Amino acid sequence: MRNLLIVGLSLLVLNSWANLPDPVKEFYKNAPQVNGRALDASYQQQAQIAMNYYPELSGKKIEFVRKDLKTTMASLPKLDFLFRKKENRRYQIFIDTKVKASKGLLLSEVPFNAQVGIIGHELGHVVDYENKSAVGILLTGVGYLFHPFRKKLERKVDEITVAHGLGYQVHEFSKYVLNDPHVSAKYKKYKRKIYYKPKQLSVLMQGYEIY
Ligand SMILES: [Zn+2]
């Protein structure tokens, strides 16, 4: 069964980077809600917080979809991107429903603040897609099959996330995954190989005045 959750990113009509919210070290579940819309109740607040840091995605059609995945979350344009104008593209952010053989984690298993981080990372992928043509997206899909390309892309997306002000949250997600005793050594090794490690994220954050 899948839950289709459509989120209208119309909360903010801000376009300037100068208008990004300041980074916050830690978000808590009882943080005030921002005009919640149709996202599933359990992740709504987390997604709203993350979306506030991506004002340029305001008005974009982004669906949150529950699906059995090989990773915690993933983002893709809907397949009709090939036939649509860039401004009419639709995106899907998938949330894993089942963890196989201690591989990875479910979104529900990580702390609230880290949930904001990984959702922020997925929105970073959308920003990356937004900067690409349809052919560019196809090439990204092919390149993703190869680890060197995947590593470059995932790091670029972490950089986008940090630049948008969600550095503390991505850092917490990374740290959590690498330290969780339920996550297999193999998966941790993969994470360390492809993604920025917590220390590298800290160094990256130091390069931005906002932190
Ligand atoms: Zn990613």
Side-chain angles (χ1 to χ4, degrees):
M1 197 182 87
R2 77 175 204 171
N3 249 325
L4 196 78
L5 311 150
I6 300 177
V7 177
L9 290 181
S10 52
L11 289 173
L12 297 166
V13 200
L14 309 172
N15 280 310
S16 160
W17 282 66
N19 288 325
L20 286 177
D22 288 333
V24 172
K25 276 210 169 144
E26 188 156 5
F27 291 108
Y28 297 96
K29 192 142 198 150
N30 59 358
Q33 198 147 345
V34 201
N35 290 331
R37 294 258 320 254
L39 184 64
D40 177 82
S42 57
Y43 301 119
Q44 181 168 314
Q45 211 180 324
Q46 296 87 316
Q48 298 287 4
I49 292 170
M51 287 188 294
N52 284 341
Y53 285 84
Y54 288 89
E56 74 268 48
L57 296 181
S58 164
K60 289 281 156 197
K61 289 269 186 303
I62 300 179
E63 299 171 348
F64 284 74
V65 182
R66 289 169 192 279
K67 206 180 169 189
D68 192 4
L69 301 174
K70 283 185 178 157
T71 185
T72 312
M73 291 186 87
S75 305
L76 284 173
K78 284 196 91 165
L79 267 180
D80 59 3
F81 75 90
L82 287 165
F83 316 106
R84 282 180 179 258
K85 282 185 183 165
K86 204 177 188 179
E87 57 268 31
N88 297 328
R89 264 187 215 153
R90 299 176 297 172
Y91 296 95
Q92 290 183 314
I93 296 182
F94 297 99
I95 303 171
D96 191 18
T97 51
K98 211 166 28 170
V99 173
K100 294 143 292 270
S102 70
K103 234 192 143 194
L105 284 164
L106 289 179
L107 186 60
S108 57
E109 292 170 327
V110 306
F112 186 88
N113 200 46
Q115 290 178 357
V116 173
I118 185 171
I119 295 170
H121 172 96
E122 296 309 324
L123 293 172
H125 276 289
V126 175
V127 167
D128 177 63
Y129 289 131
E130 281 288 285
N131 292 326
K132 286 174 171 163
S133 64
V135 173
I137 291 177
L138 280 179
L139 292 175
T140 300
V142 175
Y144 204 79
L145 300 172
F146 304 95
H147 278 187
F149 181 94
R150 188 183 295 191
K151 178 176 171 178
K152 213 171 147 192
L153 177 69
E154 290 298 353
R155 289 175 183 220
K156 180 183 167 192
V157 169
D158 270 348
E159 285 161 26
I160 292 171
T161 317
V162 168
H164 277 74
L166 291 172
Y168 295 114
Q169 287 66 37
V170 177
H171 183 274
E172 181 163 345
F173 179 74
S174 169
K175 206 170 149 188
Y176 191 86
V177 174
L178 295 178
N179 289 300
D180 188 313
H182 301 107
V183 176
S184 71
K186 195 180 166 195
Y187 191 71
K188 283 176 185 162
K189 194 179 165 195
Y190 165 78
K191 280 276 170 191
R192 274 195 293 268
K193 182 180 161 191
I194 301 291
Y195 295 82
Y196 278 130
K197 295 182 263 293
K199 266 189 189 162
Q200 292 172 310
L201 287 167
S202 297
V203 171
L204 192 63
M205 284 161 67
Q206 281 164 22
Y208 290 90
E209 271 180 22
I210 51 172
Y211 293 100

PDB file of all heavy atoms in Angstrom, residues 121-122 125 154 195, ligand 1:
ATOM      1  N   HIS A 121      18.330  17.027   2.500  1.00  0.00           N
ATOM      2  CA  HIS A 121      19.235  16.471   1.488  1.00  0.00           C
ATOM      3  C   HIS A 121      18.436  16.097   0.229  1.00  0.00           C
ATOM      4  O   HIS A 121      18.861  16.384  -0.891  1.00  0.00           O
ATOM      5  CB  HIS A 121      19.960  15.249   2.066  1.00  0.00           C
ATOM      6  CG  HIS A 121      20.766  14.481   1.062  1.00  0.00           C
ATOM      7  ND1 HIS A 121      22.119  14.680   0.880  1.00  0.00           N
ATOM      8  CD2 HIS A 121      20.404  13.511   0.182  1.00  0.00           C
ATOM      9  CE1 HIS A 121      22.553  13.866  -0.074  1.00  0.00           C
ATOM     10  NE2 HIS A 121      21.533  13.144  -0.517  1.00  0.00           N
ATOM     11  N   GLU A 122      17.281  15.470   0.420  1.00  0.00           N
ATOM     12  CA  GLU A 122      16.456  15.091  -0.743  1.00  0.00           C
ATOM     13  C   GLU A 122      15.985  16.326  -1.510  1.00  0.00           C
ATOM     14  O   GLU A 122      15.948  16.331  -2.737  1.00  0.00           O
ATOM     15  CB  GLU A 122      15.259  14.233  -0.315  1.00  0.00           C
ATOM     16  CG  GLU A 122      15.639  12.881   0.303  1.00  0.00           C
ATOM     17  CD  GLU A 122      16.613  12.068  -0.550  1.00  0.00           C
ATOM     18  OE1 GLU A 122      16.509  12.112  -1.783  1.00  0.00           O
ATOM     19  OE2 GLU A 122      17.493  11.395   0.034  1.00  0.00           O
ATOM     20  N   HIS A 125      18.564  17.369  -3.807  1.00  0.00           N
ATOM     21  CA  HIS A 125      18.539  16.663  -5.095  1.00  0.00           C
ATOM     22  C   HIS A 125      17.572  17.355  -6.062  1.00  0.00           C
ATOM     23  O   HIS A 125      17.858  17.456  -7.254  1.00  0.00           O
ATOM     24  CB  HIS A 125      18.079  15.208  -4.908  1.00  0.00           C
ATOM     25  CG  HIS A 125      19.181  14.275  -4.505  1.00  0.00           C
ATOM     26  ND1 HIS A 125      20.193  13.888  -5.361  1.00  0.00           N
ATOM     27  CD2 HIS A 125      19.436  13.637  -3.337  1.00  0.00           C
ATOM     28  CE1 HIS A 125      21.017  13.062  -4.742  1.00  0.00           C
ATOM     29  NE2 HIS A 125      20.580  12.896  -3.494  1.00  0.00           N
ATOM     30  N   GLU A 154      26.419  12.954  -4.661  1.00  0.00           N
ATOM     31  CA  GLU A 154      25.916  12.978  -3.280  1.00  0.00           C
ATOM     32  C   GLU A 154      26.627  14.050  -2.460  1.00  0.00           C
ATOM     33  O   GLU A 154      26.030  14.676  -1.595  1.00  0.00           O
ATOM     34  CB  GLU A 154      26.049  11.602  -2.633  1.00  0.00           C
ATOM     35  CG  GLU A 154      25.097  10.551  -3.212  1.00  0.00           C
ATOM     36  CD  GLU A 154      23.619  10.883  -3.033  1.00  0.00           C
ATOM     37  OE1 GLU A 154      23.279  11.865  -2.350  1.00  0.00           O
ATOM     38  OE2 GLU A 154      22.782  10.166  -3.623  1.00  0.00           O
ATOM     39  N   TYR A 195      29.306   9.261   0.784  1.00  0.00           N
ATOM     40  CA  TYR A 195      28.847  10.536   1.360  1.00  0.00           C
ATOM     41  C   TYR A 195      29.932  11.210   2.192  1.00  0.00           C
ATOM     42  O   TYR A 195      30.886  10.568   2.612  1.00  0.00           O
ATOM     43  CB  TYR A 195      27.617  10.293   2.252  1.00  0.00           C
ATOM     44  CG  TYR A 195      26.418   9.796   1.495  1.00  0.00           C
ATOM     45  CD1 TYR A 195      26.293   8.447   1.169  1.00  0.00           C
ATOM     46  CD2 TYR A 195      25.415  10.675   1.104  1.00  0.00           C
ATOM     47  CE1 TYR A 195      25.190   7.985   0.462  1.00  0.00           C
ATOM     48  CE2 TYR A 195      24.310  10.218   0.404  1.00  0.00           C
ATOM     49  CZ  TYR A 195      24.204   8.876   0.083  1.00  0.00           C
ATOM     50  OH  TYR A 195      23.118   8.420  -0.614  1.00  0.00           O
TER      51      TYR A 195
HETATM   52 ZN    ZN B   1      21.272  11.766  -1.966  1.00  0.00          ZN
END
